[in-house]
Amino acid sequence: MEPYIFRKNTTIGNLDAETDSFLTDCFYETEIYKTLINYDNDDNLDFTKRIIIGRTGSGKTALLKQIAIDRKITKHDVIEAENTVFEHIKNNIFISQLMEEDVDLRVFYKSLWLHVLLVKVINLLYPSNNFFDFLSNLTSVKKRYNLDLARQYVDTYQDNFFNENIVSEITDKMQNEISGGFSSGGAKLSGKFSGETSEKIQRETASYVSRELLRKQKELIKLIKDESSSEKQVRIIISIDDLDKSWLSSSKIRYDFINALLEAFKELLDIKSVKILISIRTDIIMGIYNNSLRQEEKDQSLILPITWNKVEIRKILDNRINFLIKHQYRGTQNVTFKDVFNFNVIDENADDFILNRTMLRPRDAINFVNLCLSEGDGSIELNEDLVIEAEEKFYYSRKLALEKEWVSIYSQIHCYLDSISFISKQTFKISDISKDQILNYILENSEDNIKDDYHDKVALIFEELVKVWFVIGVIGIKKTKTLTMYSSFEKPYLDITDFKKEFEIHPLFYR
């Protein structure tokens, strides 16, 4: 077979699924994808799985983008979290004051999310804004829902029910109700609250949300469920995919905000024609669990963790390289990843060298191959030196990506990543490591202006550092000569039984 020579800046697709021109033609349908577009809930144990969990680059956005254009899906819409609930509650003075006084607003956030979700569902089930007419023509005879309560809710907010002003209106009504109760008693909601005032505000807030929002919203959901039950051929997807953006990571309410969404969307699971799909990065869902906002085991029936193996990643690369050769280089034969990288790199097959240095995520693999192809100039065939040079660039990009992914949990992540370079052997046991040198490096290179109690533990206890290395995926547990187990959603952490085991540094981070 003739060697392949690529022009400079040739790629097998963009790393961002939103702009990846290869995605549709080269999409690889996994079992996760098939589960999400399956609306047959008879004996389908995975029917309620709607929360897509994955690390950065695992393909969450690509999955949702492909589902949106699948011919089996009748209608699709997207909720932009930043531009709906979050932006309002972040900037609202009244809400900010309650947050400063540690008033628990999670139930209120849930009610706001419920409205946003309801609006999307109603718009997709009842087009042309004829929902008000539909509601007014219903009768309350032999219904399994309280029609009066559902109508009360819609009537209260009818003017802004479907537009962006609704979140402000709901908040303002609650503020007026609570403030009015205090004003009538001679008290005012201003300045620093006393302990008694805070407790009363907490009770009034919870009571108002339960009485005026959640109770009525749930009746409206029951109404939609019953009245849309005959629409068996309708398949609606509503996706939420911007919960890992920078606007959220810097906010102290991020976990309450996302937890409220997870609570709200569960209320709509029984509407069989609608699936609300939520994409969340692994570190964010771990943060929610670590803050004791919800119990992990209760979410098992809702969660689909994205994982990949080498065979699947290889198929993704096969599809993309074959597409590249046929459409840009006018090839006629099917070409695989192995065909293009059919040489050795440091006594290892080049294709295996590349796969072993990814973290088995599509973005990693695409990025590494792109870097290899970009080293070409239209005259030199791919070779060992080009791959080694690309590997150095890939390491740098992956290191930066890991720092960005985990900095909200581990403020000194850059030190933790650099410190692994002091371990001279790729496989090691904790008992064999000279710990003082590593811990001293972390102490000397930490940023003094960042307050982080967990970092203080890491800087003093080597086992805590090993825990971090495992969680972020730069080491794994060496099980056999051919099997190393890395952190996963099912086993995200090390426990006390692991510390006497043998660990292996990931090939990309063993420098």
Side-chain angles (χ1 to χ4, degrees), residues 285-474:
I285 197 74
M286 286 169 59
I288 293 173
Y289 293 139
N290 291 344
N291 280 270
S292 303
L293 295 177
R294 58 194 303 110
Q295 293 177 292
E296 185 174 348
E297 59 270 19
K298 291 186 177 181
D299 286 340
Q300 292 304 311
S301 64
L302 307 172
I303 285 177
L304 272 173
I306 298 182
T307 58
W308 299 88
N309 57 44
K310 285 186 179 180
V311 173
E312 293 169 328
I313 297 295
R314 188 179 288 275
K315 286 180 178 178
I316 290 173
L317 294 177
D318 285 346
N319 291 345
R320 287 172 175 264
I321 284 174
N322 192 48
F323 185 81
L324 170 70
I325 297 297
K326 289 187 174 180
H327 289 78
Q328 293 189 26
Y329 291 87
R330 307 302 178 190
T332 56
Q333 294 181 322
N334 287 328
V335 180
T336 67
F337 170 51
K338 189 175 184 64
D339 291 334
V340 172
F341 290 89
N342 189 24
F343 52 90
N344 282 359
V345 176
I346 315 179
D347 300 324
E348 188 176 5
N349 293 335
D351 56 328
D352 289 327
F353 180 91
I354 291 170
L355 287 177
N356 289 337
R357 279 154 184 77
T358 70
M359 288 184 163
L360 292 183
R361 298 170 210 164
R363 186 184 297 170
D364 287 5
I366 294 168
N367 186 18
F368 200 159
V369 171
N370 282 348
L371 289 169
C372 292
L373 299 182
S374 70
E375 296 297 323
D377 61 2
S379 61
I380 301 175
E381 63 185 86
L382 291 173
N383 58 55
E384 181 181 34
D385 287 348
L386 292 182
V387 174
I388 291 174
E389 188 173 353
E391 192 259 3
E392 194 65 40
K393 296 176 181 178
F394 177 64
Y395 163 73
Y396 180 73
S397 68
R398 282 304 304 138
K399 183 183 173 187
L400 289 180
L402 278 179
E403 290 177 2
K404 182 178 179 181
E405 180 179 359
W406 291 101
V407 70
S408 64
I409 293 181
Y410 306 122
S411 63
Q412 308 292 327
I413 182 66
H414 63 288
C415 287
Y416 306 157
L417 283 171
D418 287 342
S419 65
I420 203 168
S421 64
F422 288 99
I423 299 180
S424 58
K425 294 182 179 180
Q426 188 167 7
T427 59
F428 67 92
K429 288 187 175 181
I430 292 177
S431 58
D432 298 332
I433 298 299
S434 176
K435 305 174 181 62
D436 291 343
Q437 184 183 25
I438 296 174
L439 296 179
N440 286 338
Y441 172 83
I442 290 176
L443 283 170
E444 292 170 3
N445 290 274
S446 301
E447 296 180 38
D448 296 332
N449 61 332
I450 296 178
K451 174 64 177 174
D452 184 340
D453 293 336
Y454 184 72
H455 172 65
D456 294 340
K457 289 177 63 178
V458 173
L460 295 172
I461 306 172
F462 184 73
E463 285 77 7
E464 294 297 328
L465 177 61
V466 174
K467 286 181 183 179
V468 175
W469 285 342
F470 180 77
V471 168
I472 65 180
V474 296

Side-chain angles (χ1 to χ4, degrees), residues 81-95:
E82 180 182 14
N83 297 327
T84 52
V85 179
F86 184 80
E87 193 62 31
H88 170 77
I89 61 177
K90 184 182 71 171
N91 295 324
N92 184 276
I93 296 174
F94 174 67
I95 296 299

Side-chain angles (χ1 to χ4, degrees), residues 89-347:
I89 61 177
K90 184 182 71 171
N91 295 324
N92 184 276
I93 296 174
F94 174 67
I95 296 299
S96 297
Q97 185 181 13
L98 295 186
M99 285 192 294
E100 288 175 6
E101 298 295 332
D102 294 324
V103 175
D104 188 346
L105 294 171
R106 284 176 289 180
V107 69
F108 177 62
Y109 300 156
K110 176 182 176 180
S111 67
L112 293 180
W113 269 120
L114 266 180
H115 184 92
V116 171
L117 296 174
L118 274 167
V119 166
K120 288 293 184 184
V121 171
I122 291 169
N123 270 328
L124 293 169
L125 283 173
Y126 305 94
S128 303
N129 203 25
N130 60 2
F131 180 67
F132 296 133
D133 294 335
F134 164 78
L135 196 61
S136 63
N137 292 328
L138 285 175
T139 61
S140 58
V141 179
K142 295 182 179 180
K143 297 294 185 183
R144 288 175 290 185
Y145 53 83
N146 188 320
L147 181 59
D148 289 338
L149 283 180
R151 280 177 173 161
Q152 282 178 30
Y153 181 73
V154 175
D155 290 344
T156 299
Y157 302 104
Q158 182 165 347
D159 291 343
N160 292 310
F161 197 86
F162 290 106
N163 66 46
E164 60 186 16
N165 296 323
I166 185 61
V167 177
S168 297
E169 184 177 354
I170 290 174
T171 307
D172 290 345
K173 284 185 182 296
M174 183 180 77
Q175 177 179 356
N176 292 336
E177 175 86 7
I178 295 173
S179 298
F182 275 78
S183 298
S184 61
K188 292 184 179 180
L189 291 183
S190 61
K192 188 72 177 175
F193 299 162
S194 66
E196 184 180 345
T197 301
S198 292
E199 290 177 5
K200 184 175 181 181
I201 291 174
Q202 183 71 74
R203 290 194 302 271
E204 292 291 333
T205 302
S207 174
Y208 177 84
V209 172
S210 176
R211 181 181 69 251
E212 298 298 331
L213 296 172
L214 289 178
R215 183 185 174 203
K216 297 175 181 179
Q217 288 170 332
K218 289 181 180 181
E219 292 305 319
L220 185 55
I221 292 170
K222 291 178 188 176
L223 181 154
I224 294 170
K225 174 192 169 185
D226 280 9
E227 300 302 332
S228 64
S229 60
S230 61
E231 302 289 341
K232 294 183 178 180
Q233 299 306 312
V234 175
R235 296 182 170 193
I236 293 172
I237 292 285
I238 299 170
S239 58
I240 305 174
D241 184 37
D242 59 347
L243 296 175
D244 60 350
K245 298 297 188 291
S246 59
W247 54 265
L248 188 60
S249 62
S250 61
S251 173
K252 64 180 182 180
I253 66 166
R254 62 186 181 276
Y255 295 136
D256 284 344
F257 176 72
I258 297 175
N259 182 60
L261 168 61
L262 299 182
E263 286 298 311
F265 104 106
K266 287 164 60 177
E267 302 285 352
L268 293 98
L269 286 175
D270 289 336
I271 303 177
K272 303 303 181 186
S273 58
V274 177
K275 280 192 174 186
I276 298 168
L277 305 182
I278 303 171
S279 165
I280 306 180
R281 211 168 62 199
T282 304
D283 59 297
I284 294 177
I285 197 74
M286 286 169 59
I288 293 173
Y289 293 139
N290 291 344
N291 280 270
S292 303
L293 295 177
R294 58 194 303 110
Q295 293 177 292
E296 185 174 348
E297 59 270 19
K298 291 186 177 181
D299 286 340
Q300 292 304 311
S301 64
L302 307 172
I303 285 177
L304 272 173
I306 298 182
T307 58
W308 299 88
N309 57 44
K310 285 186 179 180
V311 173
E312 293 169 328
I313 297 295
R314 188 179 288 275
K315 286 180 178 178
I316 290 173
L317 294 177
D318 285 346
N319 291 345
R320 287 172 175 264
I321 284 174
N322 192 48
F323 185 81
L324 170 70
I325 297 297
K326 289 187 174 180
H327 289 78
Q328 293 189 26
Y329 291 87
R330 307 302 178 190
T332 56
Q333 294 181 322
N334 287 328
V335 180
T336 67
F337 170 51
K338 189 175 184 64
D339 291 334
V340 172
F341 290 89
N342 189 24
F343 52 90
N344 282 359
V345 176
I346 315 179
D347 300 324

